[in-house]
Amino acid sequence: MIVGKSINSKLCIMKRNKLFSAAILLLLLAFITTSWVSSTPAPKKTQVSITVPFYWAAGAPPNVTFTGHFTMTGAIEAEGEAIMVAAINANGMVYHCIWTLTFGNGDIITLHEQCEMGSTPVKGRWEIVGGTGDYKDLRGNGSALMPDVGNVNIYEEDLTGVIYSK
């Protein structure tokens, strides 16, 4: 009877060792294969400023279109034509805007902006949502200011923030 217990005991130990060895092998395999996968670096974010003096072009509240000539500095040094379509909420305090910035070569950047009219100067947030040509993978976001430029026919937008490729 003592012999039977030692054989069962040895079989139990052998099964445990096989299980333990298999677990170690799986962990080692997982470690080795994950070390082969290179991590993707986060996109490099670069500062940008966009300034646009806008003129009222068409429409009446709640839907107004503004046009102007933009200047971009920082990560991109360029200029071109800007169109901003603004949808104003019922109480006139929040603007939801879609911008189209068209560069001299025809490439476009599209951004969305939301401004709250209750502050002085008017403040808001913007985000790049699309682009074409050289800017098709461009993304970015930041803050917006609409300072009073002392002219009832001109509205200035000053956007600052970061841009990066997706």
Side-chain angles (χ1 to χ4, degrees):
M1 291 264 170
I2 296 175
V3 173
K5 285 187 180 179
S6 68
I7 290 175
N8 284 339
S9 181
K10 286 181 182 181
L11 287 175
C12 188
I13 291 171
M14 286 174 55
K15 286 180 183 178
R16 218 175 335 160
N17 285 344
K18 284 183 182 181
L19 184 61
F20 184 68
S21 296
I24 288 177
L25 182 62
L26 284 174
L27 287 172
L28 186 58
L29 186 61
F31 176 76
I32 290 171
T33 57
T34 57
S35 65
W36 290 341
V37 178
S38 63
S39 62
T40 304
K44 183 177 183 204
K45 296 182 178 184
T46 310
Q47 294 292 320
V48 69
S49 294
I50 305 168
T51 302
V52 186
F54 278 117
Y55 302 89
W56 191 301
N63 298 302
V64 180
T65 300
F66 298 88
T67 61
H69 186 84
F70 74 88
T71 303
M72 189 178 292
T73 59
I76 299 173
E77 299 284 333
E79 59 183 65
E81 299 307 313
I83 298 173
M84 178 177 68
V85 178
I88 305 164
N89 75 342
N91 68 6
M93 296 305 293
V94 177
Y95 283 46
H96 295 277
C97 304
I98 299 172
W99 289 45
T100 304
L101 303 177
T102 305
F103 295 82
N105 65 359
D107 289 349
I108 293 173
I109 293 176
T110 304
L111 56 89
H112 289 178
E113 176 188 36
Q114 179 175 321
C115 293
E116 296 180 17
M117 305 307 286
S119 61
T120 304
V122 174
K123 297 176 184 172
R125 301 283 308 154
W126 62 270
E127 175 182 10
I128 295 174
V129 295
T132 65
D134 291 340
Y135 307 108
K136 68 181 173 92
D137 292 325
L138 191 68
R139 292 292 179 263
N141 57 61
S143 60
L145 288 176
M146 293 174 59
D148 183 358
V149 294
N151 184 332
V152 295
N153 297 317
I154 300 174
Y155 305 90
E156 183 171 298
E157 292 263 357
D158 297 324
L159 309 182
T160 57
V162 295
I163 59 173
Y164 54 93
S165 291
K166 63 176 180 175

